[in-house]
Amino acid sequence: MDLAQRDHNVIWHPYTQMKTAPLPIPIVRGEGALLFSDDGTSYIDAVSSWWVNLHGHAHPYIAQKVAEQLQTLEHVIFAGFTHPAAVVLAERLLQILPQNQKRAFYSDNGSTAVEVAIKMAIQYWNNVGEPKRKVVAFRDSYHGDTFGAMSISSRSAFTAPFWSYLFDVAFVDVPVPGQEEETIKQLEAVALAGDVAAFIYEPLVLGTAGMVMYTPEVLDRLMGICQKYNILTIADEVMTGFGRTGRTFASHYLEHQPDMMCFSKGLTGGTMALGLTTCSNQIYEAFLHNDKSKTFFHGHSYTGNPVACAAGLASLDLLLQQETQQSINRIAQQHDLFAEKAKQLEFVKEVRQQGTVLAVEFEAGGTSYFSNLRDKLYNFALERGVILRPLGNIIYMIPPYCITNEQLEQVHQTILGMHELVAKAQ
Ligand SMILES: *Cc1c(COP(=O)(O)O)cnc(C)c1O
């Protein structure tokens, strides 16, 4: 039996309707932006394997650093003990994050990084003796799949069975161009009503919503309102972090600094699962107390895993190299040229771009996993050796920075070629 069939017999895949999904494609090797299947077919990974990969697959430098760490220390309990990789990674990240970020709390994925931030925010207000209950989020946001993260994410078809279990959240509209004043009004109204512990947002780009984008100017205004009303701000940079938006962090485009930040995905260059929540001294100090009940009682078995931290350090070395920074600019420029062309096409509703993230929204159907066109676009790209996972009628790219100009061109051409399928769907 081949691998795909054996997989089908024992495995339950994420976000997959197992009854109707085609057999998965067995990938046996990766190199740079390419993935190779067992029959030798190569695919350009234009979505960085669910937005995690920064420097290409099986990168030799990361592999070497991970191997060295594995031979030295694979894991150690992170309460009462520490190790060099966790300390150095925290030191180096805090140096390049917005300067008010002073403490690093490790976990093991994006959803847990978000859970940690939300719990910190709520307990912060308890610890300072002013308990506040509400959290504000963008209506179309996505912050993860655990219950807390689901609660602060859009009430979509994906979470419908759980709605009655999710805590109440005040949602405000995403301040896309033209909607800014409306969102400002909504946030002001929520803030005035009081009892708001925190505002959590995906800075500049809402990934799962379909790479929906808004300006740093309006986010700065929203953060200003939060500051005025004593609402903590949480930047969920799980997707936008580590260069995706053109700067190392999307928060670097802003005047205001968030109270807390969440990271995962690109944190290890896409090598290992690792989550990180950082916070300001103001937050941290509210947990320092002789009364033990003020402690932050949260942790995971693999908190601060040394191998994951070593991958994070290796990925950071690569990210900060001039060559990588040039690649980020190069991709952004190529996207720019492509966007000009794509905008001219019939049935293209909008082309959005922020740094290395590009999205083309076609005029068709609804933006959902359930749309028919989505599967056709997905297969069209696969048949051309390109991995693109459309979000309904939105096709997006978030490539590894090592993608070559030729590969980038091939992906852009594939997107332009989708035009006929879209025309037929009208
Ligand atoms: C992917 C994502 C998450 C969840 O991360 P996981 O590691 O998949 O749990 C949270 N927030 C944002 C913005 C994301 O894109």
Side-chain angles (χ1 to χ4, degrees):
M1 227 186 316
D2 70 7
L3 197 68
Q5 193 56 50
R6 281 163 54 198
D7 171 292
H8 191 66
N9 292 344
V10 292
I11 289 180
W12 189 345
H13 285 272
Y15 282 97
T16 301
Q17 174 43 257
M18 297 300 292
K19 179 168 181 185
T20 49
L23 289 176
I25 299 167
I27 295 298
V28 292
R29 193 169 72 79
E31 190 182 339
L34 295 179
L35 290 166
F36 297 88
S37 71
D38 57 354
D39 66 2
T41 311
S42 69
Y43 297 92
I44 301 174
D45 189 359
V47 297
S48 293
S49 281
W50 250 345
W51 320 352
V52 301
N53 190 294
L54 298 187
H55 310 295
H57 290 281
H59 195 288
Y61 178 72
I62 300 179
Q64 180 206 330
K65 292 291 178 182
V66 165
E68 284 169 13
Q69 182 64 51
L70 271 170
Q71 284 156 14
T72 319
L73 176 70
E74 84 307 337
H75 190 58
V76 60
I77 176 173
F78 208 57
F81 294 86
T82 190
H83 59 86
V87 176
V88 178
L89 182 58
E91 285 172 349
R92 290 186 60 193
L93 285 174
L94 292 175
Q95 258 169 29
I96 58 172
L97 287 172
Q99 58 178 17
N100 70 334
Q101 299 298 297
K102 297 293 185 201
R103 289 281 159 179
F105 190 100
Y106 287 108
S107 59
D108 41 27
N109 62 70
S111 303
T112 54
V114 165
E115 295 284 342
V116 165
I118 295 289
K119 284 177 70 174
M120 271 182 188
I122 291 170
Q123 191 177 339
Y124 168 86
W125 291 113
N126 272 274
N127 281 7
V128 300
E130 290 175 59
K132 299 185 186 189
R133 283 190 56 81
K134 276 189 242 163
V135 178
V136 188
F138 285 134
R139 199 175 305 285
D140 302 316
S141 60
Y142 175 79
H143 296 290
D145 283 348
T146 51
F147 270 85
M150 272 198 293
S151 295
I152 52 171
S153 298
S154 108
R155 294 290 180 271
S156 73
F158 297 166
T159 59
F162 315 107
W163 285 354
S164 66
Y165 299 87
L166 304 181
F167 60 75
D168 259 346
V169 167
F171 287 109
V172 297
D173 291 324
V174 184
V176 293
Q179 282 297 310
E180 291 98 336
E181 299 309 318
E182 182 56 33
T183 303
I184 299 274
K185 262 192 247 154
Q186 291 172 0
L187 183 66
E188 264 172 346
V190 174
L192 260 179
D195 200 25
V196 185
F199 167 46
I200 184 163
Y201 55 89
E202 298 165 77
L204 309 193
V205 186
L206 283 84
T208 304
M211 303 299 163
V212 171
M213 301 182 189
Y214 61 94
T215 64
E217 289 75 26
V218 68
L219 181 53
D220 259 322
R221 288 174 67 194
L222 296 171
M223 292 174 81
I225 295 170
C226 290
Q227 196 171 33
K228 179 172 162 201
Y229 289 91
N230 259 328
I231 298 169
L232 299 176
T233 49
I234 305 170
D236 178 352
E237 293 235 21
V238 170
M239 187 281 280
T240 52
F242 304 98
R244 294 298 189 191
T245 65
R247 300 204 184 161
T248 305
F249 300 100
S251 295
H252 284 162
Y253 287 95
L254 299 163
E255 301 288 328
H256 287 85
Q257 302 184 346
D259 295 292
M260 283 171 268
M261 300 180 76
C262 308
F263 308 95
S264 189
K265 294 204 168 114
L267 175 55
T268 64
T271 308
M272 307 274 302
L274 185 66
L276 179 70
T277 309
T278 62
C279 70
S280 65
N281 264 339
Q282 183 196 335
I283 303 294
Y284 178 67
E285 282 166 8
F287 292 75
L288 304 179
H289 216 278
N290 293 331
D291 172 358
K292 286 225 168 80
S293 70
K294 310 264 186 190
T295 308
F296 190 54
F297 290 110
H298 185 106
H300 300 279
S301 324
Y302 283 98
T303 293
N305 175 258
V307 186
C309 290
L313 281 168
S315 175
L316 197 58
D317 286 343
L318 297 174
L319 179 70
L320 299 179
Q321 280 177 1
Q322 208 184 358
E323 193 188 331
T324 309
Q325 296 299 314
Q326 282 165 355
S327 286
I328 290 171
N329 292 335
R330 167 180 63 87
I331 294 167
Q333 282 164 11
Q334 295 284 104
H335 277 348
D336 234 13
L337 295 175
F338 168 77
E340 286 312 310
K341 267 188 254 168
K343 274 177 194 162
Q344 318 288 327
L345 287 178
E346 222 187 336
F347 310 122
V348 167
K349 193 166 155 206
E350 194 173 57
V351 183
R352 299 186 282 273
Q353 193 221 330
Q354 175 71 58
T356 67
V357 183
L358 173 89
V360 178
E361 180 163 351
F362 292 115
E363 309 247 15
T367 308
S368 90
Y369 257 58
F370 308 119
S371 126
N372 217 344
L373 179 62
R374 185 241 166 236
D375 292 346
K376 289 191 182 134
L377 296 175
Y378 177 71
N379 289 327
F380 179 87
L382 262 193
E383 284 158 16
R384 283 153 187 80
V386 179
I387 304 176
L388 289 165
R389 273 182 74 89
L391 295 156
N393 53 321
I394 298 167
I395 194 100
Y396 68 87
M397 277 185 81
I398 177 167
Y401 306 143
C402 65
I403 191 168
T404 64
N405 277 338
E406 294 69 39
Q407 290 166 336
L408 208 48
E409 177 67 17
Q410 192 182 329
V411 182
H412 286 154
Q413 287 303 328
T414 303
I415 297 176
L416 292 178
M418 289 173 168
H419 191 248
E420 220 165 282
L421 277 178
V422 176
K424 268 189 217 146
Q426 301 301 307

